[in-house]
Amino acid sequence: MRKLFMLLAASALLSATVVGLASASRSGKNVTPSAETANAYLMAGDKPCTNDWMNYGCDQGDTSYSQLTQINAGNLSKLHVIWDQGYSTSSYTGTIEGQPLCCANGMMYLASANTDEAVDPATGNIIWQYQGAKYDTTSGGAAATNLQIPARNIGYDPIDNEIFAGQQDSSLVALNAKTGSPLWTAQVAGAGLGTYGTSTKSESEPVSSFINTGKQRLVLSAPNGGESPMRGQLSAFDARSGKLVWRNFTTPDPTQTPF
């Protein structure tokens, strides 16, 4: 009889605890999600975007979501333009296809037509500027000034403090994020090597994105230029050396016609 009483008492206590927890949940108390739950939208091993925006899409998974709360519904109406600046040459009329990265080293990094800049995020003033290789198939080659290839997104390695950017000769360059000095270059597509159709010229300013797998730090890059006769592919380069780690082709070899 005593065992039965204790069992009933335990059951009642369990029920009361469950009800209490349910009530607390409904009241909004003690329901702060764990870090694992709060970051469930991220890829495994990825870190949330907090103080800085240093990847295309903020985090490595390109979710375009920041956990910062400084800008909210209460002060959104107070936002206003502090500065407005362009960095492409005056002859450039194309688009800029990328996102500025901010704010490692107190700088904002961005790509413009054939150049890459580090600017003061408070003023827009250029801190350093890198002039990449020129390549233009439509006019005077390397000496041309009418460069009409869109600037692409850039990548950043926080460990070695490096910026990765595509160049117009279809190569990838690694830059010292503090000074803008080049560290290594790697060919992504190979300007002038396309054999599609009747044209033998190709040009592209590759995209670049940094990813840390935990075992490797890689720069993912791919040629851009649907109007150029080149074979589509995605390549991964070692972030420290620029050595090609792997390459996956996304379109068939030009000799494999009909495709």
Side-chain angles (χ1 to χ4, degrees):
M1 187 67 178
R2 183 176 181 181
K3 290 184 178 180
L4 178 60
F5 174 77
M6 293 179 65
L7 179 60
L8 291 173
S11 299
L13 180 60
L14 178 61
S15 299
T17 302
V18 171
V19 171
L21 289 175
S23 299
S25 179
R26 285 195 299 270
S27 66
K29 298 178 180 179
N30 302 321
V31 291
T32 301
S34 64
E36 183 178 355
T37 303
N39 299 330
Y41 65 95
L42 294 170
M43 298 188 304
D46 200 0
K47 295 181 180 179
C49 189
T50 51
N51 293 327
D52 296 316
W53 189 288
M54 295 306 302
N55 292 283
Y56 187 89
C58 205
D59 50 59
Q60 290 187 156
D62 188 16
T63 66
S64 294
Y65 178 74
S66 171
Q67 295 188 10
L68 288 178
T69 58
Q70 186 177 7
I71 299 175
N72 51 58
N75 59 24
L76 185 63
S77 61
K78 298 179 181 179
L79 295 181
H80 59 279
V81 176
I82 297 296
W83 55 265
D84 187 355
Q85 178 67 280
Y87 301 96
S88 297
T89 58
S90 59
S91 62
Y92 184 74
T93 59
T95 59
I96 303 299
E97 301 177 2
Q99 298 175 353
L101 304 183
C102 198
C103 299
N105 307 300
M107 306 182 203
M108 181 167 67
Y109 303 93
L110 52 96
S112 58
N114 207 43
T115 59
D116 299 287
E117 288 82 22
V119 306
D120 183 341
T123 64
N125 294 334
I126 295 177
I127 299 174
W128 60 253
Q129 186 175 57
Y130 173 77
Q131 171 71 63
K134 293 184 178 180
Y135 187 82
D136 183 15
T137 62
T138 62
S139 53
T145 58
N146 184 28
L147 303 172
Q148 297 291 318
I149 304 176
R152 311 293 183 177
N153 56 280
I154 55 180
Y156 174 72
D157 179 359
I159 297 178
D160 283 342
N161 202 25
E162 296 178 11
I163 292 290
F164 309 101
Q167 303 187 106
Q168 288 196 336
D169 65 345
S170 302
S171 67
L172 181 70
V173 63
L175 306 172
N176 182 303
K178 288 186 177 180
T179 65
S181 58
L183 302 171
W184 55 258
T185 60
Q187 187 54 240
V188 179
L193 300 180
T195 55
Y196 281 104
T198 58
S199 174
T200 58
K201 295 181 178 181
S202 62
E203 59 184 356
S204 168
E205 188 165 317
V207 299
S208 58
S209 181
F210 173 79
I211 185 169
N212 188 349
T213 68
K215 296 181 179 180
Q216 290 178 302
R217 302 203 317 277
L218 301 174
V219 185
L220 301 182
S221 188
N224 268 274
E227 69 284 352
S228 298
M230 63 180 66
R231 189 179 181 190
Q233 43 91 355
L234 176 65
S235 298
F237 299 89
D238 181 86
R240 176 162 291 180
S241 67
K243 182 179 179 181
L244 180 67
V245 178
W246 55 257
R247 173 167 288 163
N248 178 52
F249 286 99
T250 57
T251 56
D253 185 278
T255 63
Q256 296 174 342
T257 54
F259 302 133

